[in-house]
Amino acid sequence: MGLLYAPRMSTVPKSFIREILKVTENPNVISFAGGLPNPRFFPVEAIARAASDVLTEAGASALQYSTTEGYPPLREYIAQRYRRKKGLTVSADEILITNGSQQGLDLLGKVFIGRGDAVAIERPAYLGAIQAFSVYEPQFHAAPLLEDGVDVDRLKDVLGKHPVKLFHTVINFQNPSGITYSPSKREELARLFVQYNAVVVEDDPYGELRFMGAAPSSMRSRLNGRAVLLGSFSKTIAPGLRLGWICAEREIMDKFVVAKQASDLHSNSLCQRIVHQYLQSNDVDRHISTIIAAYKKQRDTMVAAIEECFPAEVRFTRPEGGMFLWVTLPERLSALKLFEHAIRENVAFVPGSPFFVDGGGVNCMRLNFSNADQDKIEEGIRRLGRIMKDLLTAR
Amino acid sequence: MGLLYAPRMSTVPKSFIREILKVTENPNVISFAGGLPNPRFFPVEAIARAASDVLTEAGASALQYSTTEGYPPLREYIAQRYRRKKGLTVSADEILITNGSQQGLDLLGKVFIGRGDAVAIERPAYLGAIQAFSVYEPQFHAAPLLEDGVDVDRLKDVLGKHPVKLFHTVINFQNPSGITYSPSKREELARLFVQYNAVVVEDDPYGELRFMGAAPSSMRSRLNGRAVLLGSFSKTIAPGLRLGWICAEREIMDKFVVAKQASDLHSNSLCQRIVHQYLQSNDVDRHISTIIAAYKKQRDTMVAAIEECFPAEVRFTRPEGGMFLWVTLPERLSALKLFEHAIRENVAFVPGSPFFVDGGGVNCMRLNFSNADQDKIEEGIRRLGRIMKDLLTAR
């Protein structure tokens, strides 16, 4: 007699990326596969000082059970930063601290998605969102991404045909494509969504990592309560602390709090205080600008190497920030086949198909540029270019 | 237009206890309401040393993304402790680190419970389990607890009538009742479950806090893969670290890993290493015996005060460990009414009804003895006894 699992377990995709990452643990592999921030910029010493300060000053109360919503001064900091950096009217009670923004996605699923409910996503979509939402057994409807954001006409078709509950977008430097929604695209999106009873999930883990230009304003400023923001300290401080947040208006927040309580009571108290202490005692904007300068250089190196080494018919995005760019191969070249050859030459990336819920992406791939130094980037791209050319001429 | 939430959101009970806890934030209130371990025993300095050691030695890798399953040396420690303390054959790959054992409950719900599935629980049941499972919309069937564990005949009726997926038990020093399953009850339970295709969830956050007698063996040693164990560092080290674990055989573990990945990728890396470092550098058994000695004294004080001050017709449990005891008032006295009067005299406890999914418990109450010193316990129980007598004679 085999155990009977819930039906949802057959619908949740196992992360193909995590499987790939196992292959890339070999230190000889040049990996563009991960989505790891560069550990060179983790503020290890400052975090150690913050930990020591917190345990000295707060003592046992830093280790006790605490409120589901999160550590109040940290929530206040996040709200203030939204006000200061984005001009958003957000108060601390509209912030819930989560275990990374991945948990924000899980809580969105819990709160909104009933079995069979329509959920609109991008095409390609963030894999973590597909996984988190799949648990709640939605019907996914994917609208294609253009260079400046989602194809609004196609998204409108989806909204017209299906009672969509959520539209999930990684609005800045999207994972996997690297694209960013333009101001006019955001305006169009807002005009579309005021007509529908759906929530726009503005998933923004990379927004602070902007290399150039001004940041367009948030969907929250256009849609108010119909926009739910997800944020994270994973890319600006460190991911191992597992601290992200949901920003939502109070009515929705009440539901998130119930769902969070049922999920794990509250997020790690000690690390919430450590991060808050770190933010108080350090110049985080300067820290972020150091990360930005390094990632921009790495992106520039990767773009230049691609321009030099990839066949001319290969297209790719030039992200204004973040950690990824997206490569579209000629249709006759499968990224999975390229992967098989590349891994033999110790280069890894993520083939495109897992980012598509409806097939497609077979000739696409995601390249990460945040976590490899410049020599490795040049060498890895050179190898990939050579393999592409070999495979294209062999056919 | 109001937003449309998933149907499950109307079925998840908001924690009545957390609402009560807000009342008890007043420092003048003598609270027997919480479920808090006593912060006097949090090893603040040892945790500070461990944090410093981890950040010095592991550096950035303590702050990077890590594996879903958890920090391997910590998983190995837990498996070894099961082998050493309980004689269980458990390997590290049968351990998954969770955000407190509350997340273990959520993952059990995700993996096993489809809408309408039958789930058996104790009567009274652990409130956190009711909340976590409710998200997945099961049909609950509660079997009454006797002094030595669940009423197996009644549980057998439930299993005979309904295709039960899970039976959830807090097997040692149950929350809320304080009772512990006897060896013969465990044997009966094992004989019953080998006949059914259901999982016994052995939720054991308090097992290490045994004041007297020998620990009966785990259901895992009797049911192997049909038992899933939940454990936690919250009661032995500190709850704010949010670290617990699931122990399950590999086939089920694969499902838990997928569910955990979708939920929040992995648990806090830094705190996993800190706890492991703490366990390596400190005598945790001695630390636990300090907690046990204190809690036992507090329990003894509470039991003696109850014997002296409560009306003779009031019944109560005398737990062999843990943090709670359970009081049954005469049927004509409602615990909610008692609560209203008690809170006016600055004494708080948790009335029994929230622990029952099918009504009942109106004349029951849970008293926590881990988090009040002896004077407060004596004074609080004295006040409660007086109010009980007043209410009983007023009628």
Side-chain angles (χ1 to χ4, degrees):
Chain A
M1 259 187 331
L3 289 169
L4 298 171
Y5 299 107
R8 73 178 67 85
M9 290 313 292
S10 55
T11 67
V12 183
K14 211 172 167 176
S15 172
F16 182 54
I17 294 182
R18 293 221 145 210
E19 300 306 302
I20 287 181
L21 290 184
K22 287 183 186 159
V23 181
T24 63
E25 274 167 14
N26 177 346
N28 294 323
V29 170
I30 298 175
S31 178
F32 307 130
L36 303 185
N38 199 318
R40 208 159 24 111
F41 303 108
F42 295 168
V44 178
E45 281 169 39
I47 291 288
R49 271 196 307 278
S52 165
D53 290 350
V54 163
L55 286 163
T56 305
E57 286 158 31
S61 59
L63 299 174
Q64 185 57 286
Y65 283 114
S66 65
T67 55
T68 300
E69 292 84 346
Y71 182 52
L74 184 61
R75 297 163 67 209
E76 182 57 47
Y77 174 92
I78 295 164
Q80 266 181 27
R81 195 169 173 90
Y82 272 134
R83 294 199 292 269
R84 189 159 46 88
K85 292 268 170 181
K86 292 182 172 274
L88 292 179
T89 322
V90 169
S91 67
D93 56 6
E94 293 173 297
I95 306 291
L96 168 73
I97 306 293
T98 57
N99 305 325
S101 57
Q102 183 69 24
Q103 189 183 40
L105 295 167
D106 180 56
L107 297 179
L108 277 158
K110 272 197 172 82
V111 166
F112 284 103
I113 307 175
R115 192 174 188 171
D117 279 350
V119 168
I121 55 174
E122 296 168 327
R123 187 175 195 280
Y126 173 52
L127 195 54
I130 297 173
Q131 287 183 290
F133 294 161
S134 290
V135 167
Y136 304 97
E137 300 171 274
Q139 286 291 332
F140 284 117
H141 302 278
L145 283 180
L146 308 174
E147 298 252 309
D148 64 342
V150 72
D151 183 331
V152 171
D153 289 335
R154 299 282 293 277
L155 184 58
K156 190 176 178 176
D157 286 348
V158 169
L159 286 159
K161 274 189 210 148
H162 309 280
V164 166
K165 286 263 188 102
L166 302 174
F167 167 56
H168 175 267
T169 167
V170 182
I171 202 151
N172 294 307
F173 331 127
Q174 198 241 12
N175 180 353
S177 72
I179 71 106
T180 294
Y181 283 54
S182 67
S184 63
K185 183 66 77 172
R186 290 172 202 231
E187 204 47 55
E188 270 184 274
L189 204 59
R191 275 201 304 275
L192 177 62
F193 272 87
V194 291
Q195 305 166 51
Y196 293 96
N197 196 19
V199 167
V200 173
V201 180
E202 187 174 355
D203 191 353
D204 193 22
Y206 314 109
E208 298 256 18
L209 304 181
R210 169 170 286 279
F211 308 153
M212 57 192 62
S217 63
S218 157
M219 295 306 293
R220 160 98 181 197
S221 62
R222 302 160 200 265
L223 284 169
N224 296 319
R226 289 300 159 83
V228 170
L229 276 59
L230 302 183
S232 174
F233 292 114
S234 292
K235 311 304 186 287
T236 52
I237 304 179
L241 302 166
R242 305 308 301 123
L243 290 176
W245 63 87
I246 298 177
C247 171
E249 70 165 21
R250 271 175 253 184
E251 185 212 322
I252 310 182
M253 193 50 85
D254 285 347
K255 305 285 179 185
F256 283 131
V257 170
V258 171
K260 169 77 180 166
Q261 207 175 88
S263 298
D264 60 3
L265 301 183
H266 63 82
S267 292
N268 192 295
S269 322
L270 178 60
C271 285
Q272 289 187 69
R273 286 180 189 252
I274 291 174
V275 164
H276 180 256
Q277 180 65 40
Y278 167 80
L279 292 165
Q280 295 305 109
S281 322
N282 294 272
D283 183 347
V284 72
D285 287 317
R286 204 172 69 178
H287 173 67
I288 292 172
S289 66
T290 310
I291 301 175
I292 287 174
Y295 287 8
K296 179 177 185 305
K297 219 176 217 173
Q298 286 165 213
R299 186 213 63 155
D300 290 347
T301 303
M302 187 174 273
V303 165
I306 289 176
E307 283 171 344
E308 191 191 318
C309 305
F310 282 10
E313 27 181 351
V314 171
R315 287 177 295 120
F316 66 100
T317 58
R318 286 163 177 83
E320 295 166 20
M323 306 184 357
F324 304 104
L325 62 78
W326 183 249
V327 174
T328 305
L329 303 168
E331 287 205 0
R332 64 189 192 279
L333 181 52
S334 137
L336 213 55
K337 184 160 185 185
L338 179 65
F339 181 82
E340 284 165 21
H341 287 261
I343 201 68
R344 275 184 235 144
E345 302 201 21
N346 286 335
V347 185
F349 58 85
V350 182
S353 339
F355 304 103
F356 293 75
V357 289
D358 48 7
V362 292
N363 62 322
C364 299
M365 55 198 269
R366 186 189 78 176
L367 297 180
N368 167 264
F369 53 78
S370 60
N371 199 21
D373 59 32
Q374 303 199 41
D375 293 354
K376 291 257 171 87
I377 290 175
E378 285 172 350
E379 177 56 28
I381 295 295
R382 195 174 304 129
R383 287 187 210 166
L384 284 178
R386 187 168 32 74
I387 302 166
M388 285 176 193
K389 286 172 186 164
D390 287 352
L391 289 171
L392 284 168
T393 53
R395 299 172 67 108
Chain B
M1 257 185 336
L3 289 169
L4 298 171
Y5 299 107
R8 73 177 66 85
M9 290 314 291
S10 56
T11 68
V12 183
K14 210 171 167 178
S15 172
F16 182 54
I17 295 181
R18 294 219 147 213
E19 300 305 303
I20 288 181
L21 291 183
K22 287 184 187 160
V23 181
T24 64
E25 274 168 11
N26 176 347
N28 294 323
V29 170
I30 298 176
S31 177
F32 306 131
L36 303 185
N38 198 319
R40 208 159 24 113
F41 304 109
F42 295 167
V44 178
E45 280 170 38
I47 291 288
R49 272 196 307 279
S52 164
D53 290 351
V54 163
L55 286 164
T56 306
E57 285 158 32
S61 60
L63 299 175
Q64 186 56 287
Y65 282 114
S66 66
T67 56
T68 300
E69 292 84 347
Y71 182 53
L74 184 61
R75 297 164 67 208
E76 183 57 46
Y77 174 92
I78 294 165
Q80 266 181 27
R81 194 167 173 91
Y82 272 133
R83 294 199 291 270
R84 189 158 46 88
K85 293 266 170 182
K86 293 181 171 275
L88 293 179
T89 324
V90 168
S91 66
D93 55 7
E94 292 172 297
I95 305 291
L96 167 72
I97 307 294
T98 56
N99 306 326
S101 58
Q102 182 69 23
Q103 190 183 40
L105 296 167
D106 180 55
L107 297 179
L108 277 158
K110 273 198 171 80
V111 166
F112 284 103
I113 307 175
R115 191 175 188 170
D117 279 351
V119 168
I121 55 174
E122 296 167 327
R123 187 176 195 279
Y126 173 52
L127 195 55
I130 297 174
Q131 288 183 290
F133 294 162
S134 290
V135 167
Y136 304 97
E137 301 170 274
Q139 284 292 332
F140 284 117
H141 302 278
L145 284 180
L146 307 173
E147 297 254 310
D148 64 341
V150 73
D151 183 332
V152 171
D153 289 335
R154 300 282 292 277
L155 184 58
K156 191 175 176 176
D157 287 349
V158 169
L159 286 159
K161 275 188 210 148
H162 309 280
V164 166
K165 286 263 188 103
L166 303 174
F167 167 56
H168 175 267
T169 168
V170 182
I171 202 152
N172 294 307
F173 331 126
Q174 197 241 11
N175 179 353
S177 72
I179 71 107
T180 293
Y181 283 55
S182 67
S184 63
K185 183 66 75 171
R186 290 172 201 233
E187 204 47 56
E188 270 184 273
L189 202 60
R191 275 201 305 274
L192 177 61
F193 272 86
V194 290
Q195 305 167 51
Y196 294 95
N197 196 20
V199 167
V200 173
V201 180
E202 187 174 356
D203 191 354
D204 192 22
Y206 314 109
E208 297 258 17
L209 304 180
R210 170 170 284 280
F211 308 154
M212 56 192 63
S217 63
S218 157
M219 295 305 294
R220 161 96 181 198
S221 63
R222 301 161 201 265
L223 284 169
N224 297 317
R226 290 301 158 84
V228 170
L229 275 59
L230 303 183
S232 174
F233 292 114
S234 292
K235 312 304 187 287
T236 53
I237 304 178
L241 301 166
R242 306 306 302 126
L243 289 176
W245 62 87
I246 298 176
C247 171
E249 70 166 18
R250 271 175 255 184
E251 185 211 323
I252 310 182
M253 193 49 85
D254 285 347
K255 305 284 179 186
F256 283 131
V257 171
V258 171
K260 169 78 180 165
Q261 207 175 87
S263 297
D264 59 3
L265 301 182
H266 63 80
S267 293
N268 192 295
S269 322
L270 178 60
C271 285
Q272 289 187 69
R273 286 182 189 249
I274 291 174
V275 164
H276 180 256
Q277 180 65 40
Y278 166 80
L279 292 165
Q280 294 306 110
S281 321
N282 293 272
D283 183 346
V284 72
D285 287 317
R286 205 173 67 178
H287 173 67
I288 292 172
S289 65
T290 309
I291 301 176
I292 287 173
Y295 287 9
K296 179 179 184 306
K297 220 177 218 171
Q298 288 165 212
R299 186 214 63 154
D300 291 347
T301 303
M302 188 174 273
V303 165
I306 289 177
E307 282 171 343
E308 193 192 317
C309 305
F310 281 10
E313 28 181 350
V314 172
R315 287 177 295 120
F316 67 99
T317 58
R318 286 164 177 81
E320 295 167 19
M323 306 185 356
F324 305 103
L325 62 77
W326 183 248
V327 175
T328 306
L329 303 169
E331 287 205 1
R332 64 186 191 282
L333 182 53
S334 137
L336 214 54
K337 182 158 186 189
L338 180 65
F339 181 81
E340 285 165 21
H341 288 260
I343 201 69
R344 276 183 234 145
E345 304 202 20
N346 286 335
V347 185
F349 58 84
V350 181
S353 340
F355 304 103
F356 293 75
V357 288
D358 49 5
V362 291
N363 62 324
C364 298
M365 54 198 269
R366 186 189 79 176
L367 297 180
N368 166 264
F369 53 78
S370 60
N371 198 22
D373 59 33
Q374 304 200 40
D375 294 354
K376 290 257 171 87
I377 291 175
E378 285 172 350
E379 177 57 29
I381 295 295
R382 194 173 306 130
R383 287 186 210 166
L384 284 178
R386 187 167 32 75
I387 302 166
M388 284 176 193
K389 285 173 186 164
D390 287 352
L391 289 171
L392 285 168
T393 52
R395 300 171 69 109

